[in-house]
Every structure is written in C-alpha cells, then in structure tokens.
C-alpha cells in the first residue's frame, strides 16, 4: 500500500518511518510559513520549497493547504497538552499542578512562538477548528478542576467557567511577555498571577457564594 493511499484513507494505516519523518518535516515547515506569512498569503509551494520536498510528495500526505493547516493546529494542541500532562503527572496537589502547567505552557510557547499567530488565523480559516482547539484544552482543565473540587482543594465553582478563566490568564500572560517581548514570564508576574488565581482580588471579604450560604 502506498503512502498516498494511506493518506487518502485518513492515515488509518501506519506510515513508514521515512514517510512519518517527511510528513513531520512538512508540518514543522508549515508552522514557520503560516506563522510568518499567514494562511492566506502562504502557499503549498512556499512550504515545499522551504522543506526541500517535491511538490508532488506534499500531496502524498496532505490534499491541500487547508488540510496541512488543520493538521498543524491539531498537532500543536496535542503536543503542548501532552507536554503539560506529562509534567504535572506527579504534582502533589491542584495548586502545584497549575504552577507546573503554566510554567510548562509558557516555555512551550517560547519554543513555538508562531502558535499565537496560527491559532488566531484559524478563526478566519475554519471557525469550527478554532472552537475545537479551545474545547480540547478546556476538557483537560475541567477534569482536573472537577477532581480538585471533589477533594475540596478549591471552591465548588462551575468547572467550565473556571477552565476558561484559567485559559484566558495563560493566553494573555503568555502573549504579553513570551510572544510580544520574547522573554520568560518574570517571576513577579508569575507570582502575582498565581496569587490572583488562588487568593483573588478581595482583601479578606467573603465571596458572593459564601455570603449566600451564611
């Protein structure tokens, strides 16, 4: 069975080692091309030329520019979620897991600075892809939040609401320092961020839910 047939069948059969290496090379190059030129200005020729791969070979793995873009967004999402999952596996509690997870994400973004540009392009290229990207991230957060609530480590807020709040914090703190400034998130910023998450803005006042329960 040829590699082209494998791709046409949705990659249900495993690629050869050489085929997997070539496909990954195309994805790595596409990350740079889409990040620099943008989806609409980039072309398959840009990707193949920079990857030093024949244009015909490209179509053994991807049917179009859109398909490689979608594959790239999915891979970026999967790769950093797997990295975070691996790093937080031995965390002793929810707060430690968040600290490790945020640090891991910021470092990952530093190594993949085009992530922000590519994901934001997705909202114009394929809105459903854009939505699924964030829903996959949220699903992992929600599971951890539900476990922390069950163990009474955190308050019993709606897990999905908390998940998207945490995602928003990581998104914009990373954008402000890692993407715009191309530097590590400063310790003072990281510590303020974590204190905000786990202590909030109020100065010792009960939150609304506690007041209702009194």
């Amino acid at each position: 069975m040829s590699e082209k047939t494998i791709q046409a069948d949705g990659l249900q059969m495993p690629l050869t080692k050489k085929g997997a290496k070539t496909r990954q090379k195309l994805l790595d190059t596409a990350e740079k091309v889409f990040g620099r030129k943008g989806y609409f200005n980039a072309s398959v020729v840009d990707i193949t030329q920079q990857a030093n791969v024949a244009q015909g070979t490209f179509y053994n793995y991807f049917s179009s520019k859109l398909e490689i873009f979608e594959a790239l967004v999915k891979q970026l999402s999967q790769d950093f979620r797997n990295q975070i999952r691996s790093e937080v596996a031995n965390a002793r509690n929810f707060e430690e897991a968040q600290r490790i997870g945020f640090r891991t994400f910021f470092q990952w973004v530093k190594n993949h600075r085009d992530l922000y540009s590519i994901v934001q392009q997705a909202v114009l290229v394929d809105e459903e892809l854009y939505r699924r990207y964030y829903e996959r991230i949220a699903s992992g957060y929600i599971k951890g939040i539900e476990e922390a609530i069950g163990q009474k480590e955190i308050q019993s807020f709606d897990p999905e609401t908390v998940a998207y709040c945490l995602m928003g914090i990581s998104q914009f703190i990373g954008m402000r320092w890692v993407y715009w400034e191309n530097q590590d998130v400063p310790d003072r910023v990281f510590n303020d961020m974590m204190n905000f998450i786990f202590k909030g803005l109020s100065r010792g006042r009960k939150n609304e839910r506690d007041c209702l329960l009194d």
Side-chain angles (χ1 to χ4, degrees):
M1 181 180 292
S2 70
E3 291 175 354
K4 186 173 182 178
T5 302
I6 291 171
Q7 173 62 26
D9 290 340
L11 291 176
Q12 295 178 356
M13 297 295 289
L15 289 169
T16 63
K17 289 184 179 180
K18 181 180 179 181
K21 185 176 180 180
T22 301
R23 184 176 186 275
Q24 187 59 51
K25 184 178 183 180
L26 287 166
L27 284 167
D28 291 341
T29 304
E31 181 179 350
K32 298 175 183 177
V33 171
F34 289 134
R36 186 184 71 254
K37 300 190 70 171
Y39 176 84
F40 295 103
N41 291 325
S43 67
V44 170
V45 173
D46 291 326
I47 296 170
T48 56
Q49 285 183 345
Q50 292 195 34
N52 196 26
V53 171
Q55 191 169 350
T57 301
F58 174 93
Y59 292 104
N60 288 337
Y61 304 95
F62 305 101
S63 63
S64 63
K65 180 176 74 169
L66 176 59
E67 185 172 324
I68 193 172
F69 181 82
E70 291 177 338
L72 175 62
V73 172
K74 292 175 183 177
Q75 177 173 289
L76 289 172
S77 172
Q78 182 177 2
D79 285 352
F80 83 70
R81 286 185 290 114
N82 287 343
Q83 182 69 29
I84 291 174
R85 190 180 299 115
S86 174
E87 295 294 332
V88 305
N90 296 319
R92 294 168 294 183
N93 52 52
F94 182 75
E95 181 172 351
E96 183 177 14
Q98 297 312 300
R99 289 182 176 275
I100 295 171
F102 279 117
R103 288 290 193 193
T104 302
F105 173 72
F106 295 146
Q107 184 58 50
W108 199 93
V109 168
K110 188 176 182 180
N111 295 331
H112 297 267
R113 293 188 69 255
D114 292 322
L115 173 72
Y116 277 102
S117 173
I118 291 168
V119 172
Q120 292 310 306
Q121 292 172 52
V123 73
L124 298 176
V125 176
D126 184 342
E127 188 172 351
E128 185 60 29
L129 175 68
Y130 181 76
R131 177 171 179 168
R132 289 198 306 270
Y133 171 85
Y134 284 109
E135 286 178 339
R136 288 190 183 99
I137 299 172
S139 66
Y141 262 120
I142 290 169
K143 181 179 179 182
I145 292 164
E146 288 174 339
E147 291 175 356
I149 291 173
Q151 295 171 7
K152 302 188 182 303
E153 291 186 74
I154 59 175
Q155 297 186 62
S156 185
F157 293 121
D158 174 62
E160 185 176 16
T161 300
V162 177
Y164 278 90
C165 287
L166 294 176
M167 288 162 57
I169 290 171
S170 65
Q171 172 84 359
F172 285 97
I173 292 293
M175 182 181 295
R176 167 63 179 84
W177 277 274
V178 182
Y179 183 63
W180 288 348
E181 304 297 338
N182 194 24
Q183 67 176 58
D184 293 329
V185 174
D187 287 340
R188 63 174 178 79
V189 173
F190 188 87
N191 290 332
D192 279 351
M193 179 188 74
M194 297 307 301
N195 284 331
F196 171 78
I197 291 170
F198 287 98
K199 297 180 181 179
L201 290 174
S202 65
R203 299 177 64 85
R205 295 183 301 171
K206 293 183 177 180
N207 63 43
E208 183 179 352
R209 178 170 295 192
D210 287 339
C211 291
L212 292 173
L213 294 175
D214 282 347

